[in-house]
Amino acid sequence: MRVPLIAGNWKMNTTVSEAIELVSEMRPLLDQIDDVEKVLYPPFISLAAVGELIRGSSIKLGAQNLYFEEKGAYTGEISPLMLADLCEFAIIGHSERRQYFNETGEIVNKKVQAALKVGLKPILCIGERLDENEAGRTEEIVAEQLRSSLAGVDYPRSLIIAYEPVWAIGTGKAATGKQANETIGFIRRKIAELYSDEIARDMRILYGGSVTVTNATEFMQQPEIDGALVGGASLKASEFVSIVQQTSQIKGRLSEES
Ligand code: 13P
């Protein structure tokens, strides 16, 4: 049984004091829901403060990015070793990093390997652009992103995948539950080909892209979708908490039925 996971990617939002305010509002409500894993991804500079405020709760912490070297003359970068001290998870290969910071499959691969090496749990993001989607190339693109990101990774037990179609991110134009479920099912079959049926069965694969309080139920009802990577809606405590609550109710019901 895969434990559902709801991740809040705050992106480049919140000052340190705003981050403290947001997590203080969320903590008591999120902490009551124990059958969904909840992971917050504040900006780097707020990791320590948010980490303090969730200490002793069931809420977990992750970084939005990392560099693949452990230390050295890389001005402005943050290493996996530094993060492993502060948090448990790291987002890798987000489409915004691929698009604005020229992250290639090779760089994403190095980052995945570097994270796993220090025991950070990567959320690897993959997803097609609008033109690729319209040309019917979704499966080809996500298969290639999986292949390049996971080259040489021989034991991805702690890896989580987020399927985030680029055209759905921040646009208010989410995929349908059915579309996302189909692509995530395809991703799971690819993981089985690359590794084993057992690894594919146990791997958590999330959907991301304009997830809101209104459409969260539709995604969580899908059997292949194990949770969500939430952007905009994770910046409002009540909305993020509601998405986690809906996930708990729906996944709880589905597991009782099965
Ligand atoms: P939105 O939920 O704002 O569309 O962002 C999704 C995302 O990119 C999460 O990583």
Side-chain angles (χ1 to χ4, degrees):
M1 187 63 206
R2 301 185 293 264
V3 178
L5 189 157
I6 301 292
N9 175 10
W10 296 2
K11 306 193 181 182
M12 199 176 72
N13 295 292
T14 68
T15 60
V16 177
S17 54
E18 285 165 348
I20 288 172
E21 203 176 312
L22 184 55
V23 73
S24 306
E25 218 182 312
M26 285 180 182
R27 177 182 159 145
L29 301 162
L30 287 181
D31 204 20
Q32 291 170 16
I33 309 162
D34 54 14
D35 51 1
V36 175
E37 197 162 31
K38 300 135 302 198
V39 189
L40 304 179
Y41 295 81
F44 284 132
I45 59 159
S46 296
L47 280 173
V50 171
E52 275 302 311
L53 287 163
I54 60 175
R55 194 186 297 270
S57 79
S58 58
I59 305 164
K60 297 176 177 170
L61 195 60
Q64 295 175 18
N65 180 31
L66 47 74
Y67 191 54
F68 50 76
E69 295 290 350
E70 287 187 357
K71 62 179 174 179
Y74 302 101
T75 303
E77 291 299 315
I78 308 279
S79 92
L81 272 182
M82 298 170 186
L83 292 170
D85 245 14
L86 280 172
C87 60
E88 198 181 327
F89 294 81
I91 295 175
I92 297 180
H94 194 281
S95 65
E96 286 150 14
R97 298 219 52 92
R98 296 178 194 257
Q99 187 180 349
Y100 305 129
F101 304 98
N102 304 319
E103 281 194 13
T104 59
E106 195 185 334
I107 293 173
V108 171
N109 177 248
K110 284 185 178 170
K111 291 186 171 191
V112 170
Q113 306 228 34
L116 289 170
K117 188 171 167 206
V118 299
L120 283 169
K121 298 173 181 164
I123 293 196
L124 169 66
C125 300
I126 58 175
E128 82 287 1
R129 298 191 311 257
L130 182 62
D131 58 320
E132 293 164 338
N133 179 280
E134 286 174 349
R137 298 177 57 209
T138 299
E139 293 190 350
E140 173 200 337
I141 298 296
V142 296
E144 169 51 27
Q145 288 172 335
L146 278 179
R147 196 203 54 72
S148 62
S149 310
L150 296 176
V153 175
D154 50 10
Y155 196 71
R157 290 262 173 210
S158 64
L159 185 90
I160 296 152
I161 294 175
Y163 167 57
E164 297 208 305
V166 179
W167 47 270
I169 296 176
T171 57
K173 225 182 113 208
T176 63
K178 186 166 172 287
Q179 276 173 331
N181 193 62
E182 275 172 16
T183 305
I184 289 177
F186 171 80
I187 292 168
R188 202 177 296 288
R189 292 196 295 281
K190 281 283 144 194
I191 292 292
E193 277 173 31
L194 288 170
Y195 296 99
S196 68
D197 288 344
E198 192 208 349
I199 288 184
R201 189 198 59 214
D202 292 345
M203 187 168 285
R204 288 182 293 179
I205 311 181
L206 318 179
Y207 168 76
S210 297
V211 174
T212 62
V213 283
T214 340
N215 62 20
T217 295
E218 180 186 345
F219 292 112
M220 294 314 134
Q221 279 166 341
Q222 308 295 328
E224 292 289 352
I225 303 182
D226 300 315
L229 180 51
V230 184
S234 72
L235 292 168
K236 296 207 184 87
S238 60
E239 293 189 16
F240 188 68
V241 169
S242 165
I243 292 170
V244 176
Q245 282 165 340
Q246 292 179 47
T247 304
S248 164
Q249 281 158 10
I250 294 158
K251 292 295 186 194
R253 201 164 59 225
L254 290 178
S255 82
E256 272 169 28
E257 283 166 12
S258 68

